């Protein structure tokens, strides 16, 4: 299901034009330093749990849990899912709710429709976002404890 | 009708007030100070503008939930319904179905672009989702022309902003006097109002408790 042969380090996000200095730092790598890629030809429907960083270039519907790790939606990625991860970077399209324990970044090519819970949210110039952002660290912490049966993606515009 | 200086018709007349550049915002600065006095309070903020990294970064200093309204570009095109037409449904234009009530609305120059006949209905739509005492911060043009579309505001600090027009064309500004604007916005009362050097009126409204 995962294209394990495509292990690669995460691409550094381009520096945002209107963000804090911390925004220019790449997402911290996992302990293994490896990123698994879901390739652009892959379509996945269901729940994803992982213990390493993940780059999604394909199409995913469902929920993604990478509790201690980093999730990147690549430029070709089209996601309809709720995502829980340490950091989340969106370069492609995502419909659903994002819970980033440390940070959520939507790059200039990213398009997100949904709600974000994270203590730090970076929106690069050119990024598209519709929804709401909960920038409360306490909320981010509690949201990172997913229930056994998470709610389906809810794309709401504010 | 002396209350409104000019009809909102496109024109190429040189604007009397610059559509871009920096401006002070003392009422906004005092509002930020007020918000900072309750660091533990979680604020619910609605920004009528499109999502802006600059705005999000600024408000990340607060415990808050920040809602993106992204409705400003729609407001200039709304017109009151004809007699046989139903009322505009602001619930569809700007859905406010969030579970929590709002503490602050950032309207910035959007109120200038909504037809004056629609302002009371829009205002009522906002008030219904506000906590008592919630704030609405806005800029009103007091003379001459304004950009044909709402301008983008960048927060430089709590007491300074930069305006950037997205179009070169201009239209006549409605130039609402303070008392007229209050009448057009039932449910809100003026808490602070300051005429800035560039002819903009900075207004801080508060939902009546």
């Amino acid at each position: 299901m995962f294209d394990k042969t495509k292990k690669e380090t995460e691409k550094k996000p381009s520096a945002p034009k209107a963000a804090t200095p911390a925004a220019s730092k790449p997402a911290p790598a996992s302990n293994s330093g490896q990123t698994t890629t879901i390739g652009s030809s892959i379509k996945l429907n269901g729940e994803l749990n992982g213990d390493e960083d993940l780059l999604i270039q394909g199409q995913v519907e469902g929920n993604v849990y990478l509790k201690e790790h980093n999730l990147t939606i690549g430029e070709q990625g089209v996601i309809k899912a709720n995502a829980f991860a340490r950091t989340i970077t969106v370069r492609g399209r995502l419909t659903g709710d994002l819970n980033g324990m440390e940070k959520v970044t939507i790059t200039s090519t990213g398009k997100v429709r949904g709600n974000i819970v994270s203590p730090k949210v970076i929106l690069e110039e050119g990024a598209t976002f519709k929804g709401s952002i909960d920038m409360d660290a306490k909320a981010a912490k509690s949201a990172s404890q997913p229930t056994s049966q998470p709610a389906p993606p809810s794309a709401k515009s504010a | 009708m002396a209350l409104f200086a000019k009809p909102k018709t496109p024109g190429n007349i040189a604007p009397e007030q610059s559509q871009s550049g920096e401006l002070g915002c003392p009422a906004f600065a005092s509002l930020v100070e007020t918000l900072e006095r309750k660091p533990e309070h979680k604020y619910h903020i609605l920004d009528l503008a499109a999502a802006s990294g600059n705005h999000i970064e600024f408000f990340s200093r607060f415990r808050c939930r920040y809602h993106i309204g992204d409705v400003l570009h729609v407001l200039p095109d709304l017109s009151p319904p004809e007699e046989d037409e139903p009322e505009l449904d602001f619930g569809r234009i700007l859905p406010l179905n969030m579970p929590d009530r709002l503490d602050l609305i950032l309207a910035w120059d959007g109120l200038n672009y909504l037809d004056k006949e629609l302002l009371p209905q829009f205002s009522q739509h906002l008030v219904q989702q506000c906590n008592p005492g919630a704030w609405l911060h806005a800029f009103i043009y007091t003379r001459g022309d304004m950009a044909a579309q709402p301008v983008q505001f960048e927060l430089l600090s709590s007491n300074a902003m930069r305006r950037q027009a997205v179009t070169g064309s201009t239209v006549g500004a409605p130039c609402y006097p303070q008392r007229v604007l209050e009448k057009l916005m039932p449910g809100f009362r003026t808490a602070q109002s300051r005429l800035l050097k560039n002819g903009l009126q900075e207004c801080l409204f508060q939902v009546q408790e």
Side-chain angles (χ1 to χ4, degrees), chain A residues 18-21 115-117 119 121-124 127-139 156-158, chain B residues 40 42 46 51-57 59-60 62-70 73 94-99:
Chain A
T20 59
N115 300 307
I116 298 173
V117 180
V121 176
I122 294 157
L123 198 70
E124 290 183 8
T128 306
F129 172 66
K130 281 254 192 181
S132 71
I133 301 170
D134 198 326
M135 293 185 276
D136 179 3
K138 288 177 188 171
K156 296 177 226 164
S157 61
Chain B
E40 284 306 306
K42 184 166 180 175
L46 170 66
S52 154
N54 169 267
H55 298 182
I56 292 164
E57 186 192 348
F59 283 98
S60 67
F62 300 108
R63 283 189 70 209
C64 71
R65 191 166 185 103
Y66 193 86
H67 302 269
I68 310 292
D70 194 8
H73 62 290
L94 176 63
L96 297 175
N97 45 13
M98 62 280 281

Side-chain angles (χ1 to χ4, degrees), chain A residues 1 3 9-10 15 21 25 50 52 71 97 100 108 113 119 143 146 156:
Chain A
M1 197 176 285
D3 188 353
T9 52
E10 189 180 345
K25 289 182 191 169
E52 57 191 288
L71 169 66
D97 294 343
S108 58
R113 194 176 178 91
K156 296 177 226 164

